[in-house]
Amino acid sequence: MDLRESYLAMIKAMPGGWGAMCGALAMTRDAVENRIYERKGQSVLVETALAMQSFSSTTLFAESVAVASGGTFVKLPDDLSGGNDILMQKFQQLYAELGRFSQDFAAATEDDIIDKTERRMLEADGARLHKVMAELMALSFRIYCPNGGVEVEVNP
């Protein structure tokens, strides 16, 4: 999803759609559209995109920035009191994603050629696997490392 798609998806995700988003941003629909579609030399400021993300209760802007940067956005839960249960759920999700990738890989290579459609499917599978693995690692470190996994440098 590119940035423009994320803006439009955040508007769609917000209860009340365009009208509610424009009201929350204190802008007219024309003003919002001009920024989204980069008309008249305007563009969406990062602060505006973050506000849209907050109003829509999504992480779509963060996800699109991560993808544009060649990465994956990882949203972690605020409540980690379930420790091992949370990790076990992530492991189950990882196994499910690996199973999907394995099935799709077998189907894609059945004719010894991976075409464009199959490649996109496998890349999407890989991105989901990568995201779940990143979440699993980050959660593990937050739960089991001192200081929530944040490395603190101590000067002797």
Side-chain angles (χ1 to χ4, degrees), residues 59 73-83 86 139 142-143 148:
T59 57
F73 175 75
V74 177
K75 172 87 170 106
L76 300 176
D78 295 324
D79 179 15
L80 298 177
S81 61
I86 293 170
L139 285 167
R142 279 187 56 197
I143 292 168

Side-chain angles (χ1 to χ4, degrees), residues 4 6 15 55 80 82 92 94 98-99 103 110 128 130 133 138:
R4 180 174 297 143
S6 77
F55 296 145
L80 298 177
Q92 291 302 319
L94 181 64
L98 185 58
Q103 286 179 326
E110 194 171 56
R128 281 191 308 276
H130 180 273
M133 189 65 209

Side-chain angles (χ1 to χ4, degrees), residues 147 150-156:
N147 302 313
V150 177
E151 299 223 10
V152 177
E153 188 160 326
V154 178
N155 292 329

Side-chain angles (χ1 to χ4, degrees), residues 89 122 147:
Q89 288 172 351
L122 292 173
N147 302 313

Side-chain angles (χ1 to χ4, degrees), residues 82-145:
N84 279 335
D85 290 338
I86 293 170
L87 291 177
M88 289 304 109
Q89 288 172 351
K90 279 294 159 200
F91 272 110
Q92 291 302 319
Q93 189 179 357
L94 181 64
Y95 299 146
E97 292 297 342
L98 185 58
R100 181 190 308 189
F101 176 79
S102 179
Q103 286 179 326
D104 289 346
F105 183 83
T109 59
E110 194 171 56
D111 60 359
D112 293 326
I113 296 172
I114 297 176
D115 63 29
K116 279 195 291 187
T117 302
E118 292 165 335
R119 182 178 177 146
R120 278 194 300 273
M121 176 181 58
L122 292 173
E123 287 173 339
D125 289 350
R128 281 191 308 276
L129 265 167
H130 180 273
K131 183 176 181 178
V132 174
M133 189 65 209
E135 290 170 348
L136 179 60
M137 295 298 294
L139 285 167
S140 297
F141 297 148
R142 279 187 56 197
I143 292 168
Y144 289 107
C145 291

Side-chain angles (χ1 to χ4, degrees), residues 36-50:
I36 290 173
Y37 293 103
E38 298 179 351
R39 298 179 190 143
K40 302 178 184 178
Q42 298 181 49
S43 62
V44 177
L45 297 174
V46 171
E47 292 81 6
T48 304
L50 289 171

Side-chain angles (χ1 to χ4, degrees), residues 44-63:
V44 177
L45 297 174
V46 171
E47 292 81 6
T48 304
L50 289 171
M52 292 172 72
Q53 181 173 259
S54 177
F55 296 145
S56 65
S57 300
T58 68
T59 57
L60 295 169
F61 176 64
E63 291 174 33

